[in-house]
Amino acid sequence: MEKISAQLNNLKKEALECKNCELFKTRNKIVFSDGCENAPIMFIGEAPGQNEDETGIPFIGRAGQLLRKFLFEIGIKQDDIYIANTIKCRPPKNRKPTSKEKSACKHFLDKQIELINPKIIVLVGSTALESFITDKKLTITKARGKIFEINNRKFIPIFHPSYLLRYHSTEENSPRDLFKKDLIFIKNEVLK
């Protein structure tokens, strides 16, 4: 059987050639993944932003730096995580990806999930939540911190760290406090 890293490299090469939607016309780089291929925790974000489009690395901008800071503070190491997005190319002006764009990239993400085979998938923000959980009434505020089982996989939605950039308070039940509690819950679920 082909090693996971070779399969991921082949999948990334395929993504580099992808023209399944119009986003290939405006991308600088595809933003495939970051992290460890045998990580127990997989984070799935919305879409690449400007910093990610320039570097090819997910969650590298201000929001990503904040996420990584929280992970470091609670003791989740780089080897514990694998990071991807619902789509691999940046939408113009950082707009939310369309259903068509997510559909065009879905096979890449599905294959990443299959190959990484994480214990838990963390859905970062409402776009990632909507990509996996079809209940339209379920908002990120109601879903965050709860475990959803879909196709024998565990998913836990959390706030997107870009949301936290607007709220600096760490008081009890503030967005930052809830975010940190959710990450601690995830760590305890996975790294027991």
Side-chain angles (χ1 to χ4, degrees):
M1 184 176 149
E2 192 179 7
K3 287 192 148 201
I4 291 171
S5 56
Q7 291 180 53
L8 286 168
N9 283 336
N10 288 338
L11 191 64
K12 184 176 182 178
K13 287 176 189 172
E14 183 186 333
L16 286 166
E17 303 298 320
C18 180
K19 295 180 181 175
N20 292 344
C21 75
E22 298 297 307
L23 293 180
F24 83 92
K25 293 178 181 176
T26 56
R27 73 177 174 223
N28 288 308
K29 294 186 177 182
I30 67 149
V31 181
F32 190 74
S33 68
D34 188 32
C36 185
E37 65 191 31
N38 60 358
I41 306 169
M42 181 173 184
F43 286 82
I44 299 176
E46 176 176 300
Q50 181 178 348
N51 295 93
E52 292 78 9
D53 185 45
E54 291 169 358
T55 63
I57 302 168
F59 281 96
I60 204 77
R62 285 179 58 226
Q65 290 170 21
L66 185 59
L67 171 64
R68 291 167 195 271
K69 176 181 177 270
F70 271 92
L71 293 173
F72 177 77
E73 282 177 7
I74 65 163
I76 295 178
K77 299 175 187 70
Q78 185 68 24
D79 287 349
D80 297 327
I81 63 171
Y82 182 88
I83 304 174
N85 282 307
T86 60
I87 64 171
K88 307 299 179 212
C89 300
R90 177 186 180 206
K93 299 180 183 174
N94 291 345
R95 68 160 167 73
K96 185 176 176 177
T98 66
S99 296
K100 184 178 178 183
E101 291 161 351
K102 288 195 290 184
S103 179
C105 252
K106 188 175 182 333
H107 72 285
F108 293 117
L109 185 56
D110 288 346
K111 190 66 177 175
Q112 284 176 297
I113 291 169
E114 177 189 323
L115 291 171
I116 301 304
N117 194 25
K119 290 181 183 176
I120 285 190
I121 297 171
V122 181
L123 302 174
V124 184
S126 59
T127 297
L129 171 71
E130 294 160 7
S131 298
F132 289 90
I133 299 172
T134 56
D135 182 350
K136 301 295 180 208
K137 294 178 185 172
L138 192 63
T139 63
I140 191 68
T141 305
K142 291 178 185 172
R144 57 141 287 276
K146 294 182 175 77
I147 297 176
F148 295 84
E149 288 213 29
I150 304 164
N151 300 326
N152 297 317
R153 294 204 181 274
K154 290 182 179 181
F155 293 82
I156 299 180
I158 63 171
F159 290 136
H160 197 286
S162 63
Y163 174 67
L164 305 180
L165 292 172
R166 298 187 294 266
Y167 299 96
H168 299 281
S169 172
T170 56
E171 288 181 18
E172 184 77 18
N173 294 321
S174 68
R176 285 184 182 230
D177 178 59
L178 296 174
F179 186 79
K180 188 170 188 176
K181 286 176 180 173
D182 290 345
L183 292 177
I184 290 169
F185 173 67
I186 291 162
K187 177 185 175 187
N188 291 339
E189 278 293 306
V190 176
L191 305 175
K192 295 174 185 174

